[in-house]
Amino acid sequence: GLKGGFFDWTLSLDERVEALAKQATLAEQIDQLQNNVPAIVRLGISSYNWLNDDEHGVHQHHATSFPNGCALGAMWDKKVMYEVGQAVGQEARITYNNNVDRGNRGKGQNGAGITMYAPNMNLVRDPRWGRAQEVYSEDPTLSGYLTYYFVHGSQVGNESDPKYMQAAACCKHYAAYDVESNPIDRFHFSATVDSRNMWETYMPVFRSCVQSGQAAHVMCSYNAINGVPTCGDPKLLNGILRDQWKWPGFVVSDYDAWAQIYETHNYCPNMTCAAAVGLNAGMDQEGGGTRAINQLQAAIDSHMTSPEAVAMAFKRLFRVRLQLGMHDPP
């Protein structure tokens, strides 16, 4: 029966994900650490696509498209930002529920889920940045306030339910990220940032999103900071997010940024090393492809990481799925 297992909704989140982790094999757990996850049929776990680019509206033709980031920032209005987040979260939930009702769980379809890659709350530090229109402002305080209210609106919705989220917001891109191709492309760029600038300029908006807003996930960025790729930096991921800010969510890489620990930053001599470095630093999900997680078994066999680290990432992901009500009765 259901009692005492993953599908027993009377248990705590931790008890439920622990029960599932004990039943899933290592290969099944590794296979879940990606965007477009397959079903685990023998355990009754459905497939799901985590990738949904819903920055200022659900990524579907029927959805409301709100103004882009700089226009939303120019309002200086936290109440309206809450309402925008609320509407985006509601439309994401409606889209998802309608698709599931029709037997479509959004596999391979961007914008069909309830885990949103929003908000984009990086700062405009150089007007030549080609994506300045996506973000709210150049000011950490203003961007932090607007980020908090978007996250709160999208996740909480109309009712404050301590057990369930309407949708899951994502703080991106973490961190010190505001370069596209000048003076060097973002896949190779290493930002030189001293401690004071990091904490006074770049971190306040993430603190608002993660610690105050309790966003469900964080996306680490393509760049490195002071020579260390953000998706492989244990101080940035486990250190600040989890040890310092006590945040329970999961970390996803920007598309292929986990693999680029090796491929573009050359921080590792091979992909097996990159897989282990990312996981050990606090990565939970590979955005984009699967080149990094495909090497996790080899990394475990080489004693570079452990099955326990895989299980921890697996449990963080399913904790969010439970908070979204995916495996509970209607």
Side-chain angles (χ1 to χ4, degrees):
L2 302 180
K3 189 171 178 61
F6 176 71
F7 292 100
D8 184 350
W9 60 89
T10 66
L11 298 179
S12 70
L13 290 174
D14 289 340
E15 289 171 327
R16 294 178 69 180
V17 296
E18 193 65 44
L20 180 63
K22 287 179 180 178
Q23 290 182 294
T25 67
L26 178 60
E28 288 169 335
Q29 291 181 16
I30 290 173
D31 218 17
Q32 293 294 308
L33 311 188
Q34 58 176 300
N35 279 154
N36 209 12
V37 298
I40 309 178
V41 177
R42 70 179 189 88
L43 298 179
I45 303 300
S46 59
S47 62
Y48 180 65
N49 182 21
W50 294 84
L51 190 166
N52 301 283
D53 289 313
D54 298 342
E55 284 88 350
H56 55 97
V58 173
H59 193 75
Q60 293 287 319
H61 68 276
H62 64 264
T64 306
S65 180
F66 291 95
N68 62 20
C70 62
L72 292 173
M75 295 186 305
W76 291 68
D77 194 323
K78 58 189 181 184
K79 179 178 182 294
V80 173
M81 185 60 81
Y82 176 87
E83 293 170 348
V84 169
Q86 186 180 61
V88 175
Q90 286 175 348
E91 292 189 7
R93 172 61 72 169
I94 291 166
T95 301
Y96 172 78
N97 287 355
N98 184 56
N99 283 336
V100 170
D101 188 57
R102 298 180 179 188
N104 173 18
R105 294 190 174 270
K107 189 166 173 60
Q109 184 180 3
N110 189 334
I114 40 178
T115 45
M116 312 184 309
Y117 284 171
N120 185 349
M121 14 72 74
N122 294 117
L123 302 177
V124 181
R125 299 287 284 165
D126 187 327
R128 296 172 297 175
W129 183 30
R131 299 175 69 177
Q133 76 277 8
E134 295 183 21
V135 302
Y136 302 138
S137 78
E138 73 282 5
D139 181 75
T141 301
L142 174 61
S143 292
Y145 271 110
L146 298 180
T147 293
Y148 169 80
Y149 282 97
F150 180 94
V151 169
H152 192 58
S154 63
Q155 294 196 158
V156 173
N158 282 326
E159 299 179 9
S160 181
D161 188 330
K163 186 173 182 179
Y164 297 110
M165 292 187 292
Q166 172 177 258
C170 177
C171 312
K172 68 176 194 180
H173 309 80
Y174 185 66
Y177 175 80
D178 53 14
V179 166
E180 194 73 14
S181 57
N182 184 23
I184 186 173
D185 70 76
R186 56 186 173 158
F187 310 115
H188 295 83
F189 179 66
S190 179
T192 301
V193 187
D194 62 32
S195 180
R196 179 173 181 177
N197 204 25
M198 189 71 175
W199 284 101
E200 291 186 357
T201 303
Y202 293 107
M203 297 307 284
V205 66
F206 282 100
R207 185 192 292 271
S208 293
C209 190
V210 171
Q211 195 171 40
S212 302
Q214 286 295 300
H217 51 315
V218 166
M219 179 183 287
C220 57
S221 52
Y222 285 121
N223 60 289
I225 299 176
N226 300 328
V228 182
T230 64
C231 294
D233 189 340
K235 294 180 180 178
L236 198 63
L237 303 184
N238 281 335
I240 294 174
L241 294 177
R242 296 183 172 119
D243 296 341
Q244 189 168 337
W245 290 348
K246 310 302 180 187
W247 176 69
F250 73 90
V251 177
V252 58
S253 72
D254 206 340
Y255 302 172
D256 299 321
W258 190 343
Q260 288 168 1
I261 293 173
Y262 160 61
E263 291 175 339
T264 60
H265 290 291
N266 297 312
Y267 190 72
C268 274
N270 53 53
M271 191 64 76
T272 303
C273 167
V277 164
L279 187 69
N280 294 340
M283 284 294 313
D284 301 299
Q285 185 181 79
E286 183 172 9
T290 58
R291 297 193 298 279
I293 66 166
N294 287 346
Q295 295 300 314
L296 281 175
Q297 183 63 65
I300 291 168
D301 293 341
S302 301
H303 306 290
M304 300 168 74
T305 190
S306 67
E308 290 77 18
V310 170
M312 178 59 72
F314 176 83
K315 288 187 284 188
R316 289 184 185 127
L317 290 165
F318 273 92
R319 182 184 177 90
V320 170
R321 289 183 69 160
L322 288 178
Q323 289 177 298
L324 290 165
M326 289 186 183
H327 302 285
D328 285 3

